[in-house]
Amino acid sequence: MIRNNSYKWWNLLFFLGVLVVNTLSVTLPLGGNSTSEISDRYHTLLTPAGYAFSIWSLIYLLLAGFIVYPFRQGTSSRDSVRPISIWFVLSCIFNMGWLFLWQYLYIELSLAVMLLMLITLIVIYRKTRSITSPTPGEQWLVKLPFSLYLGWISVATIVNVSVVLEKNQWDGFGLSDSTWAVIMLCVGTLLAVIVSFPYRDRIYPLVFVWAFIAIALEHKDTGSVFITGLVAAGLLLLYSTWLLLTPRRSKF
């Protein structure tokens, strides 16, 4: 029985590792640089306002629920956590790896690790979407956390790409920084729709709404970025509302 249930403990162990590394990145901080200081050092037109990163608190709170869920009595008959456990452990490893690389200014390597984390979350997301007739616990503690998590890492990957390009002084093929920021906001909007529509997932695009408003407010002095960010956020909010009000195959 212990062996059969060991995945629960591995999930817990690696999630605690993520929390510890995140705490150290703030309190020490790791590498002598705070995450916000590094973000300011490589500030781009896609860098969101600082408050946007508070979404991590909600993500980790929901992930804590995901960790606790399989320990509850009565969930063994529908073990929806076991199939994604190995992918969750990998996502935790990549999460910790990204923080170390970012804090010690290995920016290009941090992007590579973030892409690996994105891949693991895509796999988890697809597996959670395949849960048939989800129970309330599965809706709120298995499906919802990874809609938010994947949504935020999708946005973070776009921002991380822009940071790497800024660090290496990419010339943008002759296009201005603001033009590229507008292009990437449009790409992000399209991505939010493409990923969420097959699953009627109204939560995933809301993460982009949160991020795009923060980007617009951070760059209100750059008219094209400000307007595009707000318009994209508004369209995605309407799209998410439409998903809510129309029939869907499953919640979240």
Side-chain angles (χ1 to χ4, degrees), residues 187-208:
V187 169
T189 302
L190 184 61
L191 176 67
V193 174
I194 291 174
V195 171
S196 62
F197 183 75
Y199 306 107
R200 316 293 289 180
D201 181 3
R202 64 187 183 272
I203 301 299
Y204 181 84
L206 286 180
V207 180
F208 285 77

Side-chain angles (χ1 to χ4, degrees), residues 50-81:
Y51 77 84
F53 297 97
S54 63
I55 195 175
W56 276 116
S57 298
L58 178 58
I59 291 171
Y60 286 144
L61 178 62
L62 289 171
L63 287 178
F66 165 77
I67 295 298
V68 171
Y69 177 72
F71 285 95
R72 297 172 57 219
Q73 292 183 349
T75 61
S76 57
S77 61
R78 283 181 57 93
D79 197 349
S80 52
V81 174

Side-chain angles (χ1 to χ4, degrees), residues 16-35:
L16 290 176
V18 168
L19 296 182
V20 169
V21 173
N22 273 269
T23 300
L24 293 177
S25 71
V26 174
T27 56
L28 291 181
L30 292 173
N33 303 289
S34 70
T35 302

